[in-house]
Amino acid sequence: YNLNMANLRRGIQGKENEARGMAVYFLRRFAGLSHKDTASWLNCPTEYTVATIQRRFREKLGREKRLRKLTRELSHAMLTNVKT
């Protein structure tokens, strides 16, 4: 997405930030962060904000083949670099 951390953490009301949705998805899925911890990390006002971002991203993931492919590629890239 070519965003710096400040832009990733910034939410603009009424505008979708796909990169932020992807970050929430990965933080919840791979890091196992709670909604509260994810909200804190992304500077979200409430846990409900994170839950809404996650729900909307998952809905979009179900609709868009391009997004599913990108998510799969990023997941694979992250998991292949994990050292055990």
Side-chain angles (χ1 to χ4, degrees), residues 8-17 20-25 27-28 34-58:
L8 181 65
R9 289 180 167 174
R10 183 178 314 142
I12 300 171
Q13 191 170 3
K15 293 218 175 205
E16 180 188 12
N17 184 340
R20 191 175 191 191
M22 182 82 72
V24 168
Y25 179 79
L27 286 169
R28 298 273 301 141
S34 66
H35 284 131
K36 184 177 183 176
D37 291 339
T38 303
S40 175
W41 194 84
L42 287 172
N43 299 328
C44 293
T46 67
E47 298 166 36
Y48 179 75
T49 304
V50 171
T52 302
I53 292 169
Q54 183 180 11
R55 178 183 49 81
R56 289 179 180 163
F57 183 81
R58 292 177 91 181

